[in-house]
Every structure is written in structure tokens, then in C-alpha cells.
């Protein structure tokens, strides 16, 4: 049976993630993979989660843990998150926070809340692939975000209007972004607030990697800078999306949004219509682990991942041929490589997988306009130092062979 | 700050659930509530879940339980569900099943997959409020489903076309529907398949209460009847939505969709873009409990809820004044009451809450066109027999006072 004629128009923009398809190729022994941007499973706090689930299922709380709960999310968890946000300079209350099924759901719901077909979303070239996936369903036009002032707000607005919509938001990850690993400096963040004020649009700040800073100076979240400037979160246009997926566990699917109350109230309506609420027992369990082990666990991750990042940067420096450049991330999980313009990352990928059994993600998928053919994303989170060194050796030899 | 101008057009149709607002009024001692259509928390299999979470977090599987997983869902759980669906006459494989965050998310994603603005959804008057909430976001036109042949397919199609769209699906709950408690007989189900074939649209079969039949003859799901007629699920236009929320626990947020592979593949793309996947650990835990305790637990619920249903029907028969009628459900959680036409359920609700401390849900919210002012939904799932009897006594006295 052919179902195309019953599908909504929006489905024509929903395609399988290229990374997901690539990852299927990696299911063979002996592969060194820098492809998946996921946490190293050997460091999950499994014991602490075991105790937390037992506590949630005790006689006193099991009826709560297994029952329906409110769409806003479990209040003690929102209280803990409000305190964490305050530590980052975001003065807020539980009413500024809603729990989501990972930060991916926050992006989906924000797209759904903000984008009518033809509206404009400002994004980076390249940007997080999952954000493109989430937003695509709401049929936006994309325009290339610029925070260094070389395009005026009036110019962005006119281009959006010419396509029949308006600029609804700018989306970015300010810290150790997926895929580039790069961080926006404080001046860039301030410029972005100026731009959003002029455009009267929202800022969606994706803080998925925010906790994973290994060195360099902490820069306040955009939301914190906007509150500092305007006095109250209720006067701010930035929505911060957070996630436990890169810290405690992605398997529980828990993230959050933090913003002005009218935005959170509207998000709660979307949550109610979308899937009622996030798993009650998971919210209780992650709250217990967060309250007792978050800082300690993040410190462990810093020590593990920073050593791996250092190993990758050192190996790249030592082995990569001239003409290849890469980012030097201060945190997160990714190094972004730019090849000489004539070299295609897809070609490197095929050769590397076939002849050297080493994998990564070609960068083109992260560009809304299909450019970036000579770019590659390497994740350093899931391999130890020796493996990283060996993987970069293999990759360098493939690239040298193609130059 | 006013954010209305950045919201997408679709948000104008997303309102707070009236039931949710009502439930806030019930947070006072001494209230007898027939309002919430939720399972009785004292029967959750907490001990079995405790063991299941411990098993998931054992050394062998904790890295899987806490890690990202595939958008289709945990394969052993899909295998168990495929066998359960086969028992209902639905010949299918794991590839016909995707796991969702409760069946509410299945409804949201099906609306997103099928409805362009102005398309028509055929629904019952009244219907499940959560379905209206999910579909509203995709700006459909609603038409009143009729399966007794008093409106032709051509008539439905012409009405849809006149509004600039087409009929994309018929949605219904065939067994002990929320809110009426009514069941569609086999002939009605066959008629619906004929209608959908003529309209070339899908059928969304909400099976949330399917396991909760207390007496009467089992009627195969619409999907099973369609497979019997057409030979293979791949030739069927029915998508079945199931849920563990009324059986094992709503707190884990686990439901599923079952249908032809091209429909499931498209749903997987929506899931990937929407929130990646359902909590891995929850899928593992519910699979363990389902494999070992599902039938036994459902048998317990049958014995508990059927006694409560009987108590409610007996009390209504004994105490309600003439002119009031109600459904006689063979399962589920709800009895639907129709008052004399001049009596408004909202009036009864206010009086009942104030003077007699008894609560229910006025039926109007379940009608897409705002009719049904003289209807009420009573849930019998959460009160014991004596409380039900006392609640109906109070309610009858309020209604008598208003007649």
C-alpha cells in the first residue's frame, strides 16, 4: 500500500538522520569509531541509579513513582534545577522550568510553538543535526546566523519577510557546540541579545554540553547575560535548554527548558497535548542522583574526557598533513576538522572505513544548505588515549593518501 | 513581555485541558472523586518493578539501560508486544511496532504525520479529550464519524474537500471508550473499514482500555478484522495504539503503535526528530514485568475494577431519578451519564462540589463542537464499593435538587 497521499506536507522535509544510517555501518569488530557523540557508558553512575530507583519504589513513594504526574515536571527536580541555573547566573524559580524528554523534545516543542510554515529560524552553518531534524517538521526557512555584526537586523527581517514569514528565533549552542566544539565568547553572546532585541525574536540556547568545560574561562549562559542586562527572567527572550544526557544518563530521557513564565506556560500546553509528562519514576530517580552525586560525577567526566581531548589534539598536531585544520575545544565531545577544499569527507569516510577501519561523521549533514563537504566531526568521548592515537594515525594515513 | 507575536498560528488552538483545571479543585480533604480516569495506585506492581529496575541496572546490562537506544524501541519489548498483538488476531512482527511515550505521543505523532491544516479528522462526538488536544495542534477540521451508514463516503469526502483538505483518518477507541465506556460491535468495526477503504484514509484505533474487559464477548481489534479481510498487515490502513498506562503503570510513559511498515518507518522518523527514543531503562523494566506478570496483574485489575463498576451501576439504578440515563460498560473505567436535556452538567458539578463534596467531569469538553452540556463522565477506577455507593447517593441528591 502506498501511504504518501495521506501524509501531511511537513513529512516531505523529514528524512532519516545520516548519522544514524552511518552508525549502522559501524557494527563490525575492530572498528575505531569517532562517530557517535555519546557518553562513555562505562562511566554511568549505575550503582547510584540502582539505589535511586529502589528509593522511588519504596512503600512510601511507589504509588507516586508509578502514577501519572503533572506536565510541568516533578517539583523537587525543578527545584534542584532552579538552584543549578542560579549558580550559572540565571535567577529563576520552579515556575520558569519545565521537564522535557531530553533536550531534543525541547527543540521539537519550541519549533512547534514558534514556527508557522515559511517563518525564519537563524542557525549556524554548521549546526546540531537534531535541531535541523526537529525544526524541519515545522517547515521553516533557515538563514545563516551572524553575531559579528556583518549583517543588520533589518537585513535579516527583510529577507524573512520576503519569504512570507518573520524571524522567530535564533538557535545556537554557545558552549562546545555539536558539531564544531566551538564556544561563543561573551561579546558574541551580547551581540546576539542585541540582534534578537532588534528582531524582537527569541533566542534558543542549547546548553547540552554546558557542564562539560575542561579548561578556559567560564562564560555565563546567554540567558544569564540577558537577565543581568534586563533585571528579570520575565523580561528575557532567551529560552535555555538543558539536558542530563551528557552528564548522568541519556537513557532516562530527561532535559529541561528554562525561560520566562509565559513561554513555559505555553510549553506546558504543548507537553500536555504531546505526551502528558516525562516518566515520573525517572524524574524521581535522576533527582536523587543529581542531589547527591551530580558535582562529583561531572568532575569524573571532566578528568576522563579532557585527557581524551588532549590525546586527540596532540595526535592531530603530530600526524595530520599540512592543509588540514581543526578546532581546539575547551569542553564537550567534539573536534571539527576542515580538509583542503578539494577533498571530500565522504571520500575519506569510505576509504577510512574500508581500508583502515576507522570512522567519523562527514560534516555536510550539519549544514542546512548542503555545503561543508570538506569537513568532518570527530568525537573523543568514547575511546581511550591509545585508541584515539591509533585512530588518528589511521585517519591521517587515509587523508595523506588522498591528498 | 508579550510573546504572542512569536507564537505559531497552531498555538491558538492549544488550550489547557478543562479536566486538568478541574482536578486542581479536588485537592481538598473529604472529596469523593469520580473525576480522574486513572488507575488505582494501590494496585501498581511496585515490587515487580523494583526487581526489574535492579535487573536492568545489573553489571551486565546497566551500560545499555542508561545509554541512548534506537528510535524504534527496545527489541525484546517489541517482540513481547508482537506476540500480544498476535493473540488479539494481529499477525505482525517487531518491524510493525514502535514504542511511544504513552499512547498520547502516538496520537500526537499521528496527527503530525497525517494532518496538514484544513485536513479532516473523523471523530466521535464525544471523543477522548487528549486526542482533540493532540490533533488540534495540526489545525484539522473535525467531522462527526458515522459507522452506521447514514452518511456516505462521498458525502464525507465532499465536505472535507469543501474545506480545502481531505479526510486523513478516522479516530476512535473501539473498546470501553473514554469518555463513554461504550464498545463498537463487530459489525460497526467492519463498516468502519468499508468507509475508510472508500475514503482511502487511515483508521487510528485507540486500544488504551483494550485489556480491561470484565465481561461480554471479546471483539477483535479493527486491525485484526482488517488483516483477516485483506490477508496481511502490510495491506491494512489501520494503526493500532496501545498503552501500558491502564495496566502496569502510567508513570513509565510507555505505549506503542502497530501498523504497516511504511507507516511505522515514517513514525520512526518523527520519533527521531521528536525526542530520539523512549527511556531505555523504562522499556527494559516494563518488558521484564510484562513478560513475568502481565496476565496475572491484568486478572487482578479485572477483579478489582469489575466490582467497582458493578457497584456504580447498581447505585445508579437504585438512586438516580427518572430521566437520567447511563451506559453499561463491559470494561474500562468509565460510566457516561446523560441528564435531562435542560439540566447542565456544569451546574451539577458546581453544586455537587460545594454542597456534597463529590466530583466528576462535565461531558461538554469531550465534544469537538461544544455540545453535550447535559452529559457527565464518572470514573469508577479509584474508589472502593462503599465510597462509590456514597458518592452516587450524594450525586443523585444534587441532581434531584436541580430537576
Amino acid at each position: 500500500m502506498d501511504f504518501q497521499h495521506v501524509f501531511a506536507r511537513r513529512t516531505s522535509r523529514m528524512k532519516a538522520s545520516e548519522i544514524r544510517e552511518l552508525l549502522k555501518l559501524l557494527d563490525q569488530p575492530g572498528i575505531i569509531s569517532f562517530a557517535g557523540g555519546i557518553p562513555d557508558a562505562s562511566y554511568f553512575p549505575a550503582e547510584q541509579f540502582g539505589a535511586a530507583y529502589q528509593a522511588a519504589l519504596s512503600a512510601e513513594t511507589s504509588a507516586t513513582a508509578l502514577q501519572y504526574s503533572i506536565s510541568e515536571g516533578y517539583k523537587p527536580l525543578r527545584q534542584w534545577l532552579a538552584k543549578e541555573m542560579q549558580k550559572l547566573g540565571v535567577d529563576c524559580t520552579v515556575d520558569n522550568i519545565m521537564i522535557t524528554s531530553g533536550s531534543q523534545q525541547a527543540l521539537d516543542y519550541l519549533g512547534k510553538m514558534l514556527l508557522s510554515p515559511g517563518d525564519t529560524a537563524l542557525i549556524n552553518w554548521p549546526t546540531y543535526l537534531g535541531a535541523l531534524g526537529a525544526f524541519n517538521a515545522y517547515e521553516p526557512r533557515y538563514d545563516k546566523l551572524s553575531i559579528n555584526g556583518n549583517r543588520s537586523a533589518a537585513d535579516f527581517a527583510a529577507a524573512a519577510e520576503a519569504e512570507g514569514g518573520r524571524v522567530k528565533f535564533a538557535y545556537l549552542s554557545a558552549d562546545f557546540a555539536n558539531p564544531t566544539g566551538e564556544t561563543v565568547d561573551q561579546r558574541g553572546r551580547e551581540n546576539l541579545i542585541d540582534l534578537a532585541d532588534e528582531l524582537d525574536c527569541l533566542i534558543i540556547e542549547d546548553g547540552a554540553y554546558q557542564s562539560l568545560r575542561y579548561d578556559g574561562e567560564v562564560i555565563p549562559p546567554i540567558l544569564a547575560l540577558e537577565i543581568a542586562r534586563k533585571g528579570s527572567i520575565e523580561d528575557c527572550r532567551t529560552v535555555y535548554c538543558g539536558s542530563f544526557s551528557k552528564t548522568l544518563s541519556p537513557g532516562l530521557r530527561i532535559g529541561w527548558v528554562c525561560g520566562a513564565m509565559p513561554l513555559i506556560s505555553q510549553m506546558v500546553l504543548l507537553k500536555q497535548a504531546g505526551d502528558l509528562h516525562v516518566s515520573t519514576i525517572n524524574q524521581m530517580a535522576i533527582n536523587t542522583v543529581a542531589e547527591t552525586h551530580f558535582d562529583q560525577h561531572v568532575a569524573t567526566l571532566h578528568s576522563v574526557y579532557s585527557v581524551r581531548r588532549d590525546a586527540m589534539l596532540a595526535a592531530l598536531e603530530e600526524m595530520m598533513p599540512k592543509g588540514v585544520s581543526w578546532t581546539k575545544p575547551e569542553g564537550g565531545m567534539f573536534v571539527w576538522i576542515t580538509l583542503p577544499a578539494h577533498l571530500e569527507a565522504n571520500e575519506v569516510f569510505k576509504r577510512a572505513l574500508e581500508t583502515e577501519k576507522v570512522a567519523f561523521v562527514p560534516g555536510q549533514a550539519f549544514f542546512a544548505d548542503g555545503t561543508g563537504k570538506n569537513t568532518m566531526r570527530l568525537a573523543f568521548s568514547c575511546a581511550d588515549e591509545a585508541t584515539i592515537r591509533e585512530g588518528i594515525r589511521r585517519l591521517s594515513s587515509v587523508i595523506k593518501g588522498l591528498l
Side-chain angles (χ1 to χ4, degrees), chain A residues 144-155:
Chain A
K144 190 175 174 173
L145 180 60
S146 161
I147 53 173
N148 46 23
N150 57 12
R151 258 184 86 189
S152 70
D155 188 28

Side-chain angles (χ1 to χ4, degrees), chain A residues 82-116:
Chain A
K83 275 187 219 146
E84 284 297 302
M85 294 303 297
Q86 286 158 13
K87 288 184 200 165
L88 300 175
V90 175
D91 188 17
C92 67
T93 74
V94 288
D95 296 325
N96 297 112
I97 292 174
M98 185 186 87
I99 308 298
T100 57
S101 175
S103 61
Q104 183 68 31
Q105 186 175 62
L107 300 180
D108 178 32
Y109 285 1
L110 285 164
K112 188 175 179 181
M113 179 167 92
L114 299 169
L115 295 169
S116 290

